Amino acid sequence: MVTSLGPEHPLSSGRTASSRLVRAYQGERQEVTPVWFMRQAGRSLPEYRELRVGTRMLDACLDPAMASEITLQPVRRHKVDAGIFFSDIVVPLKLAGVAVEIVPGKGPVFEQPVRTAADVDRLTAIDPASLGDEVFAPIQEAVRLTIAELGETPLIGFAGAPFTLAAYLVEGGPSKDHIRARTLMHADPEAWARLMAWTADISGAFLRAQVLSGASAAQLFDSWAGSLSLHDYTTHVAPASARALSHVRDLAYEVPQPASAGAEPPIDELVRNVPLVHFGVGTGELLKAMHEVGADTVGVDYRIPLDEASRRLGHVVPVQGNVDPAMLDAPWAVLEAHVRDVLDRGREAPAHVLNLGHGVPPETDPTVLTRVVELVHGWRPE
Ligand code: CP3
């Protein structure tokens, strides 16, 4: 099934359809490699720290003007090829009525951890399908405000994958190895499957709201999937991640044709789907499985080189990554050599979007990020 984005959507109207980012995600190698940074919005920017004074994280996410301004800050400053919507993976849970807070320096903390089948029943009593559009109104409004300012720069929407959300829900907060979540997976696979399906639908609805409101790509973060074996991933997690992505897999748009185009191109060149990216940390062993849940592009962390990642993906999948965040604080010559090496290895894939292997550390000097963008934009594949 295909659902068409409205004519005003930046992909349908042509504003972002031929951007470097969107075309690279769709597998077309770009003359200039597109670049953005996970966590580019946030504490590394003084303008962010100033704006956030006195506002709690989740309140900032639900204030459309503030969320939009924070999204735009790194685009203005670094001239990156995309904005990433300022929000958090727990925002849709909060909107669904789950008691959650983001504790500074720690991360998401839940009032009631989900440890037993009865806890899962309590949580899943909220039917994601019953959450109307109005629940996501602050998100839709923030996306609309943002794309009005972004012009031809695409906005990336995102959501947390079911396992990463479950890792927080079951533990009640951040944890090292997500032991309790992985125990529940095996101790009560039926309750686990219900929890995963529910989080998939909540995250899927959050993603869909962002894309329908104007995001030009969507990224599913399974940050903690690296704690899983390939077997556990494919058996107990991948079906739910596929379910999350199925909420946006149908979204497509007609490719705007140049006015002077001659013969009508074939239908498969006329309609494209909204590109979907799937990323995890420490997921070198899972890359192929993560692609197979229905992603177009796979994000790679810094633990394996991009040429090896591309080999594991059969050299047919665009990749995103994978500058080691630790290098951002190294002398420029060291960082520059590393970025060039990442770019060189990225040539093994059909297309490459440069990013970090995980988020920008809060203490990063933002002028270094700007300089990395200039380096990437000046580099050519030959
Ligand atoms: O710039 C961007 O990348 C967009 C914004 C973004 C945030 N969270 C903002 C945020 C994105 C994409 C996320 C996703 C997210 N949130 C993930 C997946 C990506 C990843 O990093 O692996 C995860 C695991 C979370 C959960 C979470 N939220 C953590 C671990 C933290 C950090 C806690 C801390 O204070 O160190 C948060 C809070 C959070 N989310 C901040 C930001 C900018 C920091 C809040 C602050 O400024 O006080």
Side-chain angles (χ1 to χ4, degrees), residues 48-63:
Y48 169 81
R49 294 197 298 266
E50 194 182 313
L51 193 62
R52 275 287 315 284
V53 171
T55 309
R56 285 183 304 180
M57 175 62 190
L58 288 175
D59 292 337
C61 293
L62 297 177
D63 174 337

Side-chain angles (χ1 to χ4, degrees), residues 39-41 43 48 52 57 84 87-88 105 221 223 358:
R39 291 278 170 90
Q40 62 189 17
R43 282 173 296 189
Y48 169 81
R52 275 287 315 284
M57 175 62 190
I84 171 96
S87 195
D88 196 82
F221 283 91
S223 302
H358 200 182

Side-chain angles (χ1 to χ4, degrees), residues 284-301:
E285 302 303 320
L286 310 180
L287 292 176
K288 202 160 190 301
M290 289 179 68
H291 176 239
E292 285 167 359
V293 303
D296 300 294
T297 293
V298 171
V300 182
D301 91 335

Side-chain angles (χ1 to χ4, degrees), residues 92-99 126 131:
L93 299 172
K94 166 105 179 159
L95 291 173
V98 177
I126 308 165
L131 301 173

Side-chain angles (χ1 to χ4, degrees), residues 36-43 48 52 57 84-89 102-108 158 164 168 221 223-224 279 281 358-359:
W36 66 278
F37 306 109
M38 292 186 276
R39 291 278 170 90
Q40 62 189 17
R43 282 173 296 189
Y48 169 81
R52 275 287 315 284
M57 175 62 190
I84 171 96
F85 183 54
F86 180 78
S87 195
D88 196 82
I89 57 171
I102 292 181
V103 177
K106 192 170 176 201
F158 77 92
T164 290
Y168 284 109
F221 283 91
S223 302
W224 310 141
F279 166 77
V281 179
H358 200 182

